């Protein structure tokens, strides 16, 4: 945020000094500002999509994402570890989500034929129907919200992919 003394040093009236870096064309935001925007966007889109999925399909966003990831997984089966990685949540969170989906008849758990220690989640017919029914709600709302990126969509997507890849690396 600009300080009144900054305006004085530049011999500018204080009202002409922007209070937000976003108001200065070509200015580079501070990391804290970028972080805040990322968190805000994620939180607001997540709440908006979660609310729509609950209202229209009686399904949480996490439940929808789990169903979708299972549907798109090789062999249409996914381990709890694969789901945790894909959803960006803990194994305990995935176990809780899958337990709910099993109770609702949308998913079944199966032991791996190759390694009996591995537990896979697979969609039931009802699970397939639920993910297909909810897909347009999810995809249309996300697409609508992200149209606000306009011509910057490719640049933002690429930049976030680089940050995501770097953040995955354990140090």
């Amino acid at each position: 945020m600009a300080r009144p003394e900054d305006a004085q040093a530049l011999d500018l009236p204080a009202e002409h000094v922007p209070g937000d870096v976003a108001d200065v064309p070509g200015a580079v935001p501070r990391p804290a500002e970028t972080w805040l925007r990322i968190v805000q966007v994620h939180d607001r889109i997540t709440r908006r999509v979660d609310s729509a999925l609950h209202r229209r399909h009686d399904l949480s966003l996490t439940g929808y994402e789990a169903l979708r990831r299972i549907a798109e997984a090789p062999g249409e089966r996914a381990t709890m570890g694969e789901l945790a990685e894909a959803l960006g949540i803990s194994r305990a969170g995935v176990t809780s989500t899958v337990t709910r989906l099993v109770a609702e008849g949308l998913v079944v758990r199966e032991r791996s034929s190759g390694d009996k220690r591995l537990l896979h989640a697979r969609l039931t017919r009802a699970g397939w129907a639920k993910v297909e029914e909810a897909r347009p709600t999810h995809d249309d709302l996300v697409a609508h919200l992200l149209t606000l990126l306009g011509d910057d969509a490719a640049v933002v997507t690429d930049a976030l992919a680089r940050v995501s890849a770097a953040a995955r690396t354990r140090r």
Side-chain angles (χ1 to χ4, degrees), residues 38 157-169:
I38 290 169
T157 301
D158 182 58
L160 291 174
R162 288 193 312 273
V163 172
S164 179
R168 284 180 90 181
T169 306

Side-chain angles (χ1 to χ4, degrees), residues 18 42 48 50 60-61 64 77 79 85 96 109:
H42 176 268
R48 190 90 182 262
D50 185 66
S60 70
L61 176 57
Y64 169 78
R77 301 169 66 218
T79 67
E85 175 69 22
S96 174
R109 288 186 175 110

Side-chain angles (χ1 to χ4, degrees), residues 55-111:
R55 272 192 329 272
R56 296 177 189 165
H57 307 287
D58 195 28
L59 184 65
S60 70
L61 176 57
T62 303
Y64 169 78
E65 289 291 349
L67 293 174
R68 193 186 91 198
R69 301 299 173 136
I70 296 165
E72 295 172 355
E76 299 169 353
R77 301 169 66 218
T79 67
M80 300 306 115
E82 291 166 344
L83 286 173
E85 175 69 22
L87 299 176
I89 62 176
S90 68
R91 285 184 187 233
V94 164
T95 298
S96 174
T97 298
V98 170
T99 297
R100 249 187 336 273
L101 296 172
V102 167
E104 294 171 11
L106 304 175
V107 170
V108 292
R109 288 186 175 110
E110 300 175 330
R111 292 274 174 210

Side-chain angles (χ1 to χ4, degrees), residues 96-140:
S96 174
T97 298
V98 170
T99 297
R100 249 187 336 273
L101 296 172
V102 167
E104 294 171 11
L106 304 175
V107 170
V108 292
R109 288 186 175 110
E110 300 175 330
R111 292 274 174 210
S112 170
S113 58
D115 184 346
K116 295 294 183 192
R117 295 170 298 172
L118 284 180
L119 201 56
H120 286 88
R122 182 178 52 79
L123 298 185
T124 62
R125 286 181 194 203
W128 276 104
K130 182 67 88 168
V131 76
E132 290 306 317
E133 165 193 310
R135 187 182 310 270
T137 299
H138 174 275
D139 292 354
D140 292 349

